[in-house]
Amino acid sequence: MRVLGTGLSAGRLLGLWLPPRPPRPPGPRLSNGRAAAAGALKRAMDELLHRAVPAMPAYELREKTPAPAENQCADFMSFYGSLAEASERAELLSRLARGFGVDHSQVAEQSAGVLQLRQQPREAAVLLQAEDRLRYALVPRYRSLFHHISKLDGGVRFLVQLRADLLEAQALKLVEGPHVREMNGVLKSMLSEWFASGFLNLERVTWHSPCEVLQKISKSEAVHPVKNWMDMKRRVGSYRRCYFFSHCSTPGEPLIVLHVALTSEISNTIQTILVKECPPAEAEEQSRITTAVFYSLSLAQQGLQGVELGTFLIKRVVKELQQKEFPHLGVFSSLSPIPGFTKWLQGLLKSKAKEHGRSELFTDAECREIAEVTGGGPVNETLRALLSSGEWVQSERLVRALQAPLMRLCAWYLYGEKHRGYALNPVANFHLQNGAVMWRLNWMGDASLKGITGSCGLMVNYRYFLEDTAANRVAYLGSQNIKASEQVLSLVAQFQKNSKL
């Protein structure tokens, strides 16, 4: 999405036509030319924004002021689409956030009015109107631009991509500051309304789905990358289900994708799901299907990060499976990766290595066994090097020696490490917010290179007991209580006994 509509492009606003030129050696002339072009582009951005972003009408005229002409919003879309460089798009978004936000003088004036009325006995209607004026003053100008763009053909899709660009620019530190964060929050809130569950369609993917849909599903897979077409065929074949949400305005366009394995028990390794021995066309036996394992949830539109889609998708898929295909289906669980565990463990080992004392992460017996296998040396430093390369899995003896300590360390990482009171691991936090139970840690659950380097080969099942999910969700969100199985709690207790953090 870099060319949208037929409005103004950056070149037309600059009044320039720049034919291809052969490269010139660097020098003052080239540097000056670049500076002049950059300055002209920034002036063009300011001119566009002042023309495209509607002024906030007076409070009394807020419902009587006509909407801006469609071509003003189309010009913004076309100009933005013509910016080829991420830095240029970031510059435009930064100028929009800084220059067209809230009028702080109006906010101060209306706030003072509300405070004054609260100190004087007045009718409730007078105070309520003053508060309404304050709410109106708190609306940033760019919100009106986004609102009018959303009404244009392809406007919502444009805004999803614009937010994806904004998030990428923030990650790359091309834009920073409170104004940009505020604009991101406003846009996220608007997208959350437009992509509420009532506007979403559940669509199933099969091998007979349109080729472009299969390609988008394959491209968007972020958890377990699709290797080839045969791999894709297995993932939508027998004993497998693939669903996605699309918006009612863009049917067939995946927003978020969920892959499900239909099994006789809760899977403990991803390889048993991805490398299926049965042919893709095998007929399903209903009696063999008692369990649904959610093994991949991937966002296809990065601009929808933070918009609550995954929770609704899992609920809809459970309902779809039970009501339309498998009324007897009663066991629901994820088989989830543990992103960030290896990185967290590396940091922990590094901090302990600096203390030059006895390892507080491993028992004396574990230290001796690890030292014997690795040839001696400080355990923390040795393991840091081994975990970085992933070569430790080539030694069966070392794999056995590390199983117990890594299992309890991972249990603590998932259960005990917190961010603002909630699980630090984002996948754990997602499932716990949904009301799932942290049910089982699986040693060598993912033996792929990605699994070994990202989480030391560990995976975890979050089990959904449908009758308890509401209560578990309330307990986690309200009291930050994590519901966990005996296996997980036992590993956490072992960590607390054997480690001194």
Side-chain angles (χ1 to χ4, degrees), residues 32-67:
N32 292 339
R34 283 180 176 172
L41 180 60
K42 291 178 180 179
R43 289 192 296 273
M45 289 180 179
D46 290 337
E47 177 190 338
L48 169 78
L49 292 174
H50 281 94
R51 195 159 29 80
V53 184
M56 294 289 285
Y59 176 80
E60 293 76 12
L61 302 175
R62 66 194 184 285
E63 296 179 355
K64 301 177 183 178
T65 303

Side-chain angles (χ1 to χ4, degrees), residues 234 238-240 275-282 288:
R234 279 195 295 266
S238 58
Y239 297 101
R240 300 292 178 266
V275 186
K276 206 171 45 161
E277 294 181 1
C278 54
E282 180 191 7
R288 292 177 56 186

Side-chain angles (χ1 to χ4, degrees), residues 85-102:
E85 298 295 330
S87 58
E88 295 172 346
R89 297 191 294 275
E91 178 65 27
L92 178 61
L93 295 175
S94 178
R95 287 172 179 269
L96 177 62
R98 292 197 313 268
F100 299 87
V102 168

Side-chain angles (χ1 to χ4, degrees), residues 100 128 153 193 217 226 234 283 313 373 384 392:
F100 299 87
L128 291 174
D153 185 29
E193 294 180 7
I217 297 296
V226 178
R234 279 195 295 266
L313 181 55
V373 178
R384 279 186 63 211
W392 60 277

Side-chain angles (χ1 to χ4, degrees), residues 74-359:
D75 285 349
F76 177 86
M77 293 169 68
S78 184
F79 182 96
Y80 184 85
S82 71
L83 298 174
E85 298 295 330
S87 58
E88 295 172 346
R89 297 191 294 275
E91 178 65 27
L92 178 61
L93 295 175
S94 178
R95 287 172 179 269
L96 177 62
R98 292 197 313 268
F100 299 87
V102 168
D103 185 338
H104 297 291
S105 62
Q106 273 293 310
V107 172
E109 180 181 333
Q110 300 303 329
S111 298
V114 170
L115 290 173
Q116 185 177 4
L117 287 172
R118 285 181 60 84
Q119 295 171 358
Q120 303 172 358
R122 293 291 182 93
E123 293 183 6
V126 177
L127 178 60
L128 291 174
Q129 186 183 57
E131 291 173 343
D132 193 48
R133 286 177 176 271
L134 175 58
R135 278 193 295 271
Y136 182 70
L138 287 167
V139 176
R141 280 180 64 184
Y142 49 71
R143 193 184 193 283
S144 181
L145 172 67
F146 297 154
H147 175 71
H148 292 299
I149 287 176
S150 72
K151 297 182 179 181
L152 300 182
D153 185 29
V156 173
R157 181 181 296 185
F158 170 86
L159 291 172
V160 171
Q161 182 58 54
L162 182 145
R163 182 164 182 260
D165 292 341
L166 181 59
L167 292 171
E168 181 184 23
Q170 287 181 294
L172 297 174
K173 300 194 181 300
L174 297 175
V175 291
E176 294 181 282
H179 295 93
V180 172
R181 291 194 295 271
E182 175 66 16
M183 187 171 76
N184 176 47
V186 169
L187 189 51
K188 173 189 169 183
S189 176
M190 297 177 78
L191 291 171
S192 296
E193 294 180 7
W194 298 331
F195 288 87
S197 59
F199 299 123
L200 304 178
N201 299 322
L202 182 67
E203 301 190 39
R204 180 182 167 187
V205 182
T206 71
W207 188 240
H208 302 291
S209 297
C211 183
E212 57 269 23
V213 171
L214 290 168
Q215 288 179 324
K216 289 175 181 178
I217 297 296
S218 174
K219 184 179 179 181
S220 67
E221 176 55 43
V223 185
H224 306 290
V226 178
K227 297 177 182 178
N228 48 45
W229 279 111
M230 184 55 67
D231 188 11
M232 188 71 225
K233 191 173 185 179
R234 279 195 295 266
R235 298 190 192 199
V236 297
S238 58
Y239 297 101
R240 300 292 178 266
R241 295 294 185 271
C242 177
Y243 299 93
F244 68 86
F245 267 153
S246 64
H247 193 266
C248 58
S249 65
T250 54
E253 182 70 31
L255 304 175
I256 187 170
V257 184
L258 177 66
H259 288 270
V260 185
L262 303 174
T263 64
S264 59
E265 59 183 2
I266 297 177
S267 306
N268 59 4
T269 68
I270 191 62
Q271 276 68 38
T272 60
I273 291 177
L274 297 180
V275 186
K276 206 171 45 161
E277 294 181 1
C278 54
E282 180 191 7
E284 295 175 347
E285 296 181 25
Q286 291 271 332
S287 60
R288 292 177 56 186
I289 298 173
T290 62
T291 305
V293 178
F294 314 124
Y295 67 92
S296 176
L297 182 66
S298 296
L299 194 63
Q301 304 290 337
Q302 296 308 308
L304 295 177
Q305 288 183 40
V307 176
E308 193 172 10
L309 298 175
T311 299
F312 294 127
L313 181 55
I314 289 176
K315 289 180 179 179
R316 288 275 288 275
V317 167
V318 168
K319 186 176 180 181
E320 181 83 1
L321 290 171
Q322 284 189 325
Q323 292 187 355
K324 294 188 178 181
E325 290 197 83
F326 309 103
H328 62 283
L329 197 61
V331 180
F332 299 92
S333 174
S334 78
L335 178 59
S336 301
I338 312 174
F341 171 58
T342 301
K343 183 179 180 180
W344 171 83
L345 182 55
Q346 289 274 23
L348 198 58
L349 292 170
K350 182 178 180 180
S351 66
K352 294 301 176 183
K354 292 180 179 179
E355 297 176 6
H356 302 292
R358 187 182 77 83
S359 173

